[in-house]
C-alpha cells in the first residue's frame, strides 16, 4: 500500500501536470490525512467478522461484512462524515454551503444512503436521489465521496486484518470480498505476468480477477469486451463491456513500478470517466 507521504507527493505531481484537478486533489490529500488520523485513534472496528464462517462465505460468494443484514453502531462514521464536510468548507466554500444545506434538509438520511449504497439491487441514481432531487451534480459527487469515505477507516481495518486469508480463498466475484462493493478502478501488474486486480474504494482492498471478464455481469466473451486509451496516457485504459455497457478504469503497472494509490489515480483520471459516459457506458 502506498504510504501517506508518497501519496501526497503523487498528488502534488498530478496537480502540476493537470491543474484542472487541483481542487479535487487537494480534497483527496486532506481526506488521506484525516483518514490516517482516524485510523491512528481507532482501537477496534465497529464491524466484526465471525472467523468460523470465513471459508463458508468465500465459497458461497458472500462478502465478510453483511451490511444489509446486520445493525451497526454508526456513530463514529457519522462523526467522521461531519469532519469530512469541513474539508469541503476549507477547499470549496461555496459548494460546501450547498452540501450543508442538503444534509440539513429533512429529505437527507445519511444512514439510509449508506445502506442503499451496499444494496447492488439499487441503481446508483436511486441512491443519489436519496440525497437530493434537484441539486448540482458537483454537490452530489462530493456527498457521495464523503459518504463512501465515512466508512473507509472502519472497513479498511477489516480488510487489512483478513486480507491474507481472503487472498487464499480464490475469490472469483467482481464485487469486493470484504464489503461487497463494486470496483471503479483496477490495475494490471506486468511484474505478475499481467495479472489483473480490482480495487474497492469502500474498504481499500485489492483482489485478483480474471483478465478477460466483466466484473459487473460476468461476461467473458472476448468479442464483446474491449478497452480504449487516450493518446499520451497509455498508462491508463478503460475496460468496457458491450453486453452490460459498464466500464472500469485500469492502471497498467510496468515491472519494478511502485504501487499506486488508486484513490488518487481515480481522481486524476476523471476525464476517462467522462469519455466513457459520452460513449454510452456507465
Amino acid at each position: 500500500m502506498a504510504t501517506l507521504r508518497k501519496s501526497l507527493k503523487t498528488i502534488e505531481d498530478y496537480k502540476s501536470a493537470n491543474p484542472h484537478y487541483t481542487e479535487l486533489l487537494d480534497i483527496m490529500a486532506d481526506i488521506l490525512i484525516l483518514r490516517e488520523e482516524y485510523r491512528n485513534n481507532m482501537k477496534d472496528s465497529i464491524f466484526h467478522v465471525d472467523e468460523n464462517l470465513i471459508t463458508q462465505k468465500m465459497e458461497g460468494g458472500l462478502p465478510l461484512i453483511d451490511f444489509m443484514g446486520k445493525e451497526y453502531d454508526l456513530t463514529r462514521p457519522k462523526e467522521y462524515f461531519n469532519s469530512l464536510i469541513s474539508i469541503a468548507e476549507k477547499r470549496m466554500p461555496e459548494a460546501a454551503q450547498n452540501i450543508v444545506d442538503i444534509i440539513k434538509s429533512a429529505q437527507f438520511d445519511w444512514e439510509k444512503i449508506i445502506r442503499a449504497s451496499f444494496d447492488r439491487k439499487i441503481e446508483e441514481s436511486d441512491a443519489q436521489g436519496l440525497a437530493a432531487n434537484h441539486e448540482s451534480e458537483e454537490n452530489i459527487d462530493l456527498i457521495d465521496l464523503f459518504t463512501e469515505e465515512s466508512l473507509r477507516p472502519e472497513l479498511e481495518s477489516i480488510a487489512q486484518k483478513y486480507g491474507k486469508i481472503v487472498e487464499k480463498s480464490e475469490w472469483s466475484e467482481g464485487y469486493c470480498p470484504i464489503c461487497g462493493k463494486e470496483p471503479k478502478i483496477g490495475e494490471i501488474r506486468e511484474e505478475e505476468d499481467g495479472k489483473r486486480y480490482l480495487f474497492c474504494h469502500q474498504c481499500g482492498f485489492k483482489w485478483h480477477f480474471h483478465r478477460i471478464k466483466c466484473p459487473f455481469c460476468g461476461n467473458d466473451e472476448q468479442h464483446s469486451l474491449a478497452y480504449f486509451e487516450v493518446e499520451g496516457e497509455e498508462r491508463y485504459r478503460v475496460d468496457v463491456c458491450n453486453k452490460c455497457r459498464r466500464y472500469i478504469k485500469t492502471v497498467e503497472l510496468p515491472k519494478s513500478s511502485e504501487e499506486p494509490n488508486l484513490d488518487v489515480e481515480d481522481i486524476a483520471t476523471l476525464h476517462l470517466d467522462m469519455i466513457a459516459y459520452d460513449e454510452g457506458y456507465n
Side-chain angles (χ1 to χ4, degrees), residues 169-232:
S169 72
E170 298 184 358
W171 177 268
S172 60
E173 305 295 341
Y175 49 87
C176 178
I178 303 295
C179 68
K181 278 293 194 73
E182 291 183 337
K184 300 175 186 175
I185 195 169
E187 61 190 31
I188 292 175
R189 302 176 186 174
E190 187 178 322
E191 199 157 65
E192 296 183 30
D193 298 321
K195 280 188 176 180
R196 179 191 192 189
Y197 289 82
L198 305 181
F199 175 71
C200 177
H201 284 274
Q202 185 63 85
C203 69
F205 188 68
K206 294 179 184 178
W207 69 101
H208 176 244
F209 192 71
H210 297 291
R211 179 81 177 257
I212 310 298
K213 188 175 184 178
C214 173
F216 307 111
C217 72
N219 173 31
D220 58 3
E221 298 172 359
Q222 193 161 358
H223 70 275
S224 58
L225 296 169
Y227 71 88
F228 67 81
E229 299 172 333
V230 172
E231 186 176 353

Side-chain angles (χ1 to χ4, degrees), residues 9 64 76 94-95 149 157 169 183 193 199 201 216 226 264 268:
K9 172 64 167 59
L64 295 187
R76 285 197 321 224
E94 186 175 335
E149 175 63 27
S157 68
S169 72
D193 298 321
F199 175 71
H201 284 274
F216 307 111
V264 176

Side-chain angles (χ1 to χ4, degrees), residues 38-49 51 72-73 76-77 151 153-158 161-162:
Y38 187 117
R39 286 295 308 275
N40 289 339
N41 291 325
M42 272 181 61
K43 292 183 179 179
D44 295 304
S45 174
I46 61 172
F47 299 105
H48 301 285
V49 173
E51 297 182 359
Y72 297 99
D73 182 359
R76 285 197 321 224
L151 291 179
E154 301 282 352
L155 287 169
E156 192 174 67
S157 68
I158 297 296
K161 183 175 182 178
Y162 295 102

Side-chain angles (χ1 to χ4, degrees), residues 188-195 235 251-259:
I188 292 175
R189 302 176 186 174
E190 187 178 322
E191 199 157 65
E192 296 183 30
D193 298 321
K195 280 188 176 180
R235 181 171 184 250
V251 183
E252 299 199 57
L253 303 178
K255 290 182 178 179
S256 302
S257 61
E258 291 187 349
E259 185 176 3

